Amino acid sequence: TVTDQSGNSSTCTATVTVEDNIAPTAVCQDVTVQLDAMGNYTLMPAEVDGGSSDNCGIASMSVSPNSFTCTEVGPNVVTLTVTDAAGNTATCTANVQVDASSACIPPSIANEGGPDIADPCTCAGNGWFAEEIVVTAPSGQTWQIATVTGLYSDLPGTTPYGAGDLLTEVPQGGGVSQYILMGYHYDGIGYYIEVESPNYPGLILSIGNTCYYPEPVLDLPAEICLFTPPLTLADYASVTGNPALESESFTINGTPATQLDPMAWGVGAVTVEYTVDAGTAGGGDPADPGCVATATQIVNIVETPSVVACNDNVQVSVDENCQAFIQPDDILEGTYGCFDDYTVELYNGFDPVPNPVDGS
């Protein structure tokens, strides 16, 4: 309406349109949800809304994706869309950790098939074995040690693993990862480990293993005399459990040998080593790791004693042929390293008697 000084007036009409061109402010928050007994969960927008706002008021909110099953256990990124009455929209993203329920098949744990160590009981030398713990589960999860004994992160076993140590994720593609832990354990002692993930409440995965090196044994005399005939080393060597061997060898003071000849080495101590190679490991067989092991024995070579003491009251038993063979160690008193350096001569008065003697 327009009015002049004389009071005359005139009117007209106009249309005024009020527009809201300001988009909402979308604010997200991260959440953790657990699947239901059927292995499903439907996410509501309000669960990830962290305080979104709009100058003229929010008309609606939606979240995508909003449906989760056992295949989505672990971290998931969702988008929250906020719309006001004028149709203006804004978005933000949130991380949704999905925890499994009893409806989900538990992940697997193994000690073979890892990316670095394929076979359990892999020889690491000096009685140690290398092994890789492998948990196969959806990608993006966290797996850690719950309890562990006998497993070390280094050689020669100075740093044991402990509760809370994390497994390393190695993605395999297709939304699946291997969570690995490489460690070392000792011959005949082994290890036991339990692992857990916050994405699987109450679930404990466990595995253990004990492996064995071949056990070579040397049983040479601790002392032999200078004139003792050469000893064939293989006659005094064995391997506990009789595993299949690829090779075996001997050294004396570091020199390859098959016999110990006292005359060749002279008086003094010599070190005999017996080394066995169990060859190729039997796949997944703790008793056949295919390792190399060595047994060592020190043998003293001595002069043949010239002064001896004899037992003057010897009793022997005859065999089924009514005979008895009298050995030097039947006669000598005390400990001698070389009975084979002595011979026994028998007399009845001044008359020689053959050895073996008969019961007559």
Side-chain angles (χ1 to χ4, degrees):
T1 299
V2 179
T3 305
D4 61 16
Q5 293 180 347
S6 301
N8 300 308
S9 66
S10 178
T11 63
C12 64
T13 61
T15 301
V16 177
T17 302
V18 178
E19 294 183 352
D20 176 11
N21 295 317
I22 301 175
T25 299
V27 179
C28 285
Q29 64 180 3
D30 298 338
V31 294
T32 297
V33 301
Q34 185 167 17
L35 302 177
D36 61 22
M38 301 300 293
N40 300 303
Y41 190 86
T42 299
L43 183 70
M44 303 303 295
E47 294 179 83
V48 293
D49 176 32
S52 301
S53 61
D54 184 77
N55 60 326
C56 293
I58 295 174
S60 65
M61 290 189 294
S62 63
V63 62
S64 178
N66 69 339
S67 179
F68 302 97
T69 65
C70 293
T71 58
E72 284 82 42
V73 170
N76 297 267
V77 177
V78 300
T79 300
L80 176 69
T81 300
V82 180
T83 305
D84 65 14
N88 300 308
T89 62
T91 62
C92 60
T93 58
N95 294 313
V96 177
Q97 282 285 345
V98 177
D99 290 347
S101 69
S102 58
C104 301
I105 299 174
S108 63
I109 187 170
N111 59 359
E112 56 186 324
D116 300 308
I117 301 177
D119 189 51
C121 301
T122 296
C123 306
N126 297 318
W128 289 94
F129 293 95
E131 201 153 319
E132 197 165 48
I133 312 303
V134 181
V135 174
T136 302
S139 297
Q141 299 178 1
T142 298
W143 285 88
Q144 65 185 26
I145 296 175
T147 62
V148 61
T149 58
L151 195 63
Y152 298 83
S153 63
D154 64 345
L155 286 176
T158 58
T159 307
Y161 279 114
D165 288 342
L166 296 175
L167 280 68
T168 301
E169 181 179 4
V170 180
Q172 302 297 298
V176 176
S177 288
Q178 287 184 333
Y179 300 84
I180 65 170
L181 185 77
M182 192 176 80
Y184 302 92
H185 56 99
Y186 198 67
D187 174 30
I189 297 177
Y191 72 92
Y192 176 78
I193 187 172
E194 295 180 341
V195 298
E196 61 186 356
S197 170
N199 294 122
Y200 293 86
L203 176 67
I204 294 291
L205 302 180
S206 64
I207 197 168
N209 198 11
T210 302
C211 309
Y212 300 89
Y213 271 69
E215 296 183 38
V217 177
L218 273 175
D219 193 24
L220 288 157
E223 190 174 90
I224 60 175
C225 289
L226 190 61
F227 298 104
T228 298
L231 305 181
T232 299
L233 296 175
D235 294 341
Y236 298 87
S238 61
V239 182
T240 301
N242 295 315
L245 298 180
E246 185 171 283
S247 66
E248 52 186 329
S249 60
F250 300 89
T251 63
I252 301 176
N253 291 350
T255 301
T258 58
Q259 289 187 327
L260 172 54
D261 184 354
M263 289 293 292
W265 291 98
V267 173
V270 295
T271 300
V272 181
E273 285 194 349
Y274 172 42
T275 301
V276 298
D277 184 351
T280 303
D285 183 359
D288 183 20
C291 299
V292 176
T294 298
T296 302
Q297 184 178 350
I298 294 176
V299 178
N300 288 307
I301 301 173
V302 299
E303 295 277 5
T304 302
S306 59
V307 178
V308 297
C310 292
N311 188 341
D312 58 2
N313 184 18
V314 178
Q315 294 183 351
V316 296
S317 299
V318 296
D319 60 19
E320 66 275 9
N321 298 317
C322 198
Q323 291 182 325
F325 184 69
I326 312 301
Q327 304 271 18
D329 58 340
D330 294 325
I331 305 298
L332 292 170
E333 283 191 347
T335 302
Y336 297 85
C338 42
F339 291 118
D340 48 5
D341 282 5
Y342 302 93
T343 59
V344 176
E345 294 180 357
L346 303 177
Y347 295 87
N348 185 4
F350 294 101
D351 298 326
V353 175
N355 191 13
V357 297
D358 59 40
S360 62

